[in-house]
Amino acid sequence: MSEKEQLPLFDAGPLPGDEKDLHLKPDMPLKEAITIYLDALALGGFSPYTIKAFRSDIGLLAGWF
């Protein structure tokens, strides 16, 4: 059985031990949410190339909206 805890998608406070609040909030502007998502990918150990690809794809999607 895994000891990992599922973190909520939306929350008002920072993660324990984090200086920066990486939680998405329902009323958050899309640009800020994208930045938090990309920061979370970097903290999660994803490759810089993966992050760059996600940034590009999300930018295309945001431009479409």
Side-chain angles (χ1 to χ4, degrees), residues 12-23:
L15 294 171
D18 283 345
E19 297 173 8
K20 188 173 183 180
D21 185 2
L22 292 178
H23 283 99

Side-chain angles (χ1 to χ4, degrees), residues 1 28-29 33 39 45-46 53 58 62-63:
M1 190 162 186
M28 183 176 285
D39 288 347
F46 284 83
I58 292 172

Side-chain angles (χ1 to χ4, degrees), residues 27-51:
D27 59 345
M28 183 176 285
L30 182 59
K31 189 172 185 175
E32 187 177 342
I34 290 170
T35 300
I36 288 175
Y37 177 70
L38 295 172
D39 288 347
L41 288 178
L43 289 173
F46 284 83
S47 153
Y49 302 107
T50 300
I51 296 169

Side-chain angles (χ1 to χ4, degrees), residues 10-14 21 23-25:
F10 297 103
D11 192 353
D21 185 2
H23 283 99
L24 298 175
K25 297 170 188 64

Side-chain angles (χ1 to χ4, degrees), residues 7-10 14 16 22 29 39-40 48-50 53 60-61 63-65:
L7 298 175
L9 180 61
F10 297 103
L22 292 178
D39 288 347
Y49 302 107
T50 300
L60 291 172
L61 179 64
W64 184 79
F65 277 115

